[in-house]
Amino acid sequence: MDNNIDAITQSQLCNGCGTCYSICPRSAITIQKNGRLGILAANVNADKCSNCGLCREVCHSDDIVSGKQLVNIDLIGAYNGIYSGYSMDDTLRYRASSGGIVSSLLRYLKTNNIIDGFVLIKPGTESPLDYNAFISRDVGDILRYAGTRYFPIPVNMILKELSQMNGKYVIIGTPCQISALRKYEKQDKSISEKIFLRISFFCGGVPNRNAYSYYMKAHGIDEQRVHSIYRGLGWPGNNVFEFDSGETICISRRPKTFFAQIYHTLSFFPIFAQKRCLLCNDRFGVASDISVGDAWLEEYRSDKVGTSLIISRSLTARNILSDMQQEKAIFLRKVTEEQLIQSQKIFSDYAGDYPTTCRVLLGRKYFNRHFGTGKPRLNPFWGMKITFINFGMKLTHVKRLWPYLFIYGIIFRYGYQWLSLAEQLMEKVGRHFVMSARK
């Protein structure tokens, strides 16, 4: 059996983060597009590969194939502070996705000469969905490339270049990209000295590349004319499409009409998901120094410019955040663990029902092999939801069916809500019987 990442790619568990590309000593790995699935995936050149196994060592998805990843009980991970906050620069706060904390952090560190640069992403030339990571030392790039991109980007391909450089840098990524980075650091310890901070976003899953293609088609936007895409301009913000001509189209991420709501649900809820994202149980970026995400709490519902929830995990992170608050670069307020979990409630469902997701997406053999005799209890309601999602995912792989996805979207929206209500009812009935039995 080859000791490389072919098994991960063939299982459709590769999310194209690019870490294996950077670690390969023989340049045997490339990151390629899969148009049907809408994903980025690693491709191994068998003629160059020496089966050294380094690509497996740094792969975030190898934990699933090997069975090392079971239920992650520690949902949030280690931390030394949890806050809500936002940038005190109104322009930066509005331009970014949810409060401008990350952008303010980068600007503060660079203007105070604490770091030499930071890793950002920018659009390529072939497609508005082709973004590439680059190392910037220009503070102006922070505002220029602010905003979140909801499609796969091989951020960790930059590690090959970063490993050859001197200085201190900040890298930003999804939880799986930061987890893979930590694995990379174990193999190349010199790069740890160059990374001043690792920043992760909270992540409910990254839609595949076809999500935005479908969304643009549904809204009558010509993808060939679009130069860049991002989420920003207020909160919860807009899907912003910038054209080569200089024109900009903004579509609200809080759609009001029924049709717009269905198109939004189809594109950004998980039928255009990457399979690996549905199997993730690290949603809060436990391997990072700082994790940042939207403050989806009732008290911020009327917020129009954005507030972040921030998890500080390292001493360096806590000290930097404290200094920024004292210098009035950002506003911070402590929040509780309960508020954090409540703001991202779906994360608890994904983590708690991870065994059920494995059973549905990976099959009985995998489930029996990796969960052994002490098999956890399965959640039938969650199993039906994942089955429903998995069916929708298969529909999205056939582009000629896209015009009919709207019908599925209506069924999905109300079916998912019904299953959630049925599950809540069963829980209440169960608690009632338990209390009655105790009496």
Side-chain angles (χ1 to χ4, degrees):
M1 180 179 175
D2 290 339
N3 188 25
N4 59 38
I5 55 168
D6 271 343
I8 285 96
T9 302
Q10 290 166 12
S11 301
Q12 296 179 13
L13 294 174
C14 176
N15 57 5
C17 70
T19 316
C20 57
Y21 162 88
S22 291
I23 199 69
C24 182
R26 303 188 65 163
S27 300
I29 298 175
T30 54
I31 305 299
Q32 298 183 351
K33 305 170 196 172
N34 182 319
R36 185 177 71 87
L37 300 180
I39 63 174
L40 300 178
N43 182 67
V44 179
N45 184 329
D47 294 332
K48 291 184 178 180
C49 179
S50 64
N51 281 313
C52 65
L54 283 174
C55 56
R56 291 287 294 262
E57 291 294 327
V58 301
C59 180
H60 180 64
S61 294
D62 185 58
D63 289 352
I64 293 180
V65 174
S66 65
K68 296 174 186 175
Q69 175 174 300
L70 295 177
V71 179
N72 182 1
I73 299 171
D74 195 357
L75 178 64
I76 299 174
Y79 65 88
N80 53 36
I82 304 175
Y83 313 93
S84 64
Y86 50 82
S87 171
M88 297 299 284
D89 182 322
D90 291 339
T91 301
L92 202 56
R93 184 182 179 189
Y94 178 77
R95 174 65 169 75
S97 297
S98 55
I101 286 290
V102 173
S103 297
S104 288
L105 187 61
L106 296 180
R107 186 169 65 181
Y108 177 86
L109 293 173
K110 186 67 177 72
T111 55
N112 285 281
N113 296 315
I114 298 171
I115 60 172
D116 296 281
F118 33 80
V119 176
L120 297 176
I121 55 172
K122 63 181 178 181
T125 56
E126 293 185 14
S127 162
L129 302 174
D130 288 336
Y131 270 71
N132 303 303
F134 73 104
I135 298 168
S136 174
R137 295 175 178 80
D138 181 0
V139 173
D141 281 342
I142 298 169
L143 184 60
R144 191 173 298 120
Y145 298 112
T148 304
R149 278 78 185 177
Y150 290 108
F151 40 84
I153 300 170
V155 171
N156 286 357
M157 288 181 72
I158 201 66
L159 299 179
K160 179 172 281 192
E161 180 182 345
L162 194 61
S163 65
Q164 305 300 316
M165 302 180 71
N166 296 318
K168 298 285 185 182
Y169 301 88
V170 174
I171 189 164
I172 309 155
T174 59
C176 58
Q177 290 169 343
I178 299 301
S179 173
L181 167 61
R182 290 289 194 181
K183 290 187 169 192
Y184 185 100
E185 291 179 58
K186 290 180 181 178
Q187 303 300 323
D188 181 2
K189 293 182 172 53
S190 65
I191 204 168
S192 294
E193 301 169 3
K194 301 170 185 178
I195 300 176
F196 182 76
L197 283 178
R198 304 149 194 84
I199 301 175
S200 172
F201 300 113
F202 302 171
C203 186
V206 177
N208 65 44
R209 291 166 57 91
N210 288 336
Y212 262 111
S213 292
Y214 172 78
Y215 189 77
M216 285 186 277
K217 190 181 291 288
H219 286 278
I221 296 173
D222 183 359
E223 184 175 333
Q224 301 302 316
R225 294 176 52 233
V226 177
H227 170 66
S228 70
I229 304 170
Y230 65 92
R231 172 196 166 193
L233 306 184
W235 192 86
N238 298 274
N239 294 310
V240 183
F241 301 88
E242 296 180 339
F243 292 79
D244 293 326
S245 62
E247 178 190 1
T248 298
I249 291 179
C250 298
I251 302 175
S252 174
R253 289 187 62 84
R254 189 171 276 168
K256 292 182 172 57
T257 69
F258 177 76
F259 288 96
Q261 288 170 3
I262 295 297
Y263 288 135
H264 186 86
T265 297
L266 282 169
S267 300
F268 302 110
F269 205 70
I271 69 161
F272 277 102
Q274 301 176 85
K275 181 179 177 181
R276 177 64 181 88
C277 292
L278 293 176
L279 289 159
C280 181
N281 56 18
D282 176 11
R283 303 288 177 172
F284 284 107
V286 299
S288 66
D289 295 297
I290 299 177
S291 301
V292 182
D294 289 279
W296 294 109
L297 292 168
E298 189 60 34
E299 61 190 284
Y300 299 114
R301 188 167 180 78
S302 60
D303 185 358
K304 301 298 183 185
V305 283
T307 300
S308 298
L309 291 178
I310 306 115
I311 307 174
S312 169
R313 304 187 185 279
S314 67
L315 181 60
T316 299
R318 186 173 65 180
N319 289 341
I320 291 294
L321 289 172
S322 177
D323 290 345
M324 290 179 70
Q325 183 181 29
Q326 289 179 14
E327 296 179 33
K328 293 183 169 49
I330 58 174
F331 170 83
L332 291 179
R333 186 179 73 180
K334 288 187 177 182
V335 300
T336 66
E337 223 180 83
E338 291 72 22
Q339 287 175 298
L340 175 68
I341 293 173
Q342 181 61 35
S343 76
Q344 311 287 340
K345 190 176 182 303
I346 190 66
F347 292 2
S348 302
D349 294 336
Y350 275 119
D353 292 314
Y354 174 71
T356 304
T357 306
C358 284
R359 177 64 182 83
V360 174
L361 296 182
L362 300 178
R364 180 182 297 175
K365 287 184 178 179
Y366 177 92
F367 182 80
N368 291 339
R369 183 168 68 249
H370 293 300
F371 288 93
T373 55
K375 297 187 186 73
R377 182 172 171 270
L378 298 180
N379 181 343
F381 293 100
W382 185 258
M384 284 187 278
K385 289 178 182 178
I386 294 297
T387 300
F388 206 3
I389 290 168
N390 194 36
F391 175 71
M393 288 171 65
K394 294 183 187 305
L395 292 179
T396 67
H397 297 163
V398 184
K399 292 187 178 181
R400 66 176 178 271
L401 295 179
W402 283 14
Y404 309 104
L405 282 180
F406 188 82
I407 299 170
Y408 170 87
I410 296 172
I411 299 170
F412 176 83
R413 178 179 180 176
Y414 294 107
Y416 194 94
Q417 290 176 0
W418 181 86
L419 286 170
S420 296
L421 290 172
E423 184 176 8
Q424 291 170 17
L425 179 61
M426 287 294 290
E427 288 176 355
K428 288 181 180 178
V429 170
R431 285 196 297 268
H432 173 74
F433 279 112
V434 169
M435 290 177 67
S436 298
R438 287 176 179 173
K439 290 179 181 179

